[in-house]
Amino acid sequence: MTKEELILSFIEKLVDGVDGSEKTSSVKTGFEKYAGEKVFIRTVTHHYTGHVTNVDSMSLTLDKAAWIADDGRFNEFLKDTSKAEEVEPFYHPVTVGLGGILDITTVDSLPEEVK
């Protein structure tokens, strides 16, 4: 395979599915291990909890998501998400861009009520 063919192949894998067709890309993000998990995510500007329902090359989708406006004592919150001081649930799935994620960890439960 020539250098040009290799570059073209890589570009095709990156843009696979952009036209609306089903994605068949094998590009891995490292976030696939969270698919199906309950998670807490810190982004550059917000904190979220939710159930990861989809991971693709640019984003992940959360169901039963909430914006955690104030998590209170962080260590206590990670042990028990009901300890959050302020919770603002989403009512539809939320998509979070992978480029904005600072860290992600699993949690045992998801806060679902406004607090």
Side-chain angles (χ1 to χ4, degrees), residues 30 82 105:
S82 71
T105 188

Side-chain angles (χ1 to χ4, degrees), residues 34 37-42 74 78 103-107:
Y34 295 104
E37 298 284 343
K38 295 176 203 157
V39 297
F40 170 73
I41 298 172
R42 286 194 294 186
F74 188 63
L78 290 177
D103 52 41
I104 183 171
T105 188
T106 58
V107 291

Side-chain angles (χ1 to χ4, degrees), residues 10-24:
F10 180 71
I11 291 170
E12 287 173 350
K13 287 181 181 180
L14 285 176
V15 299
D16 187 28
V18 169
D19 63 353
S21 64
E22 187 170 329
K23 295 179 182 172
T24 58

Side-chain angles (χ1 to χ4, degrees), residues 93-105:
V94 174
T95 301
V96 178
L98 298 182
I101 294 176
L102 299 175
D103 52 41
I104 183 171
T105 188

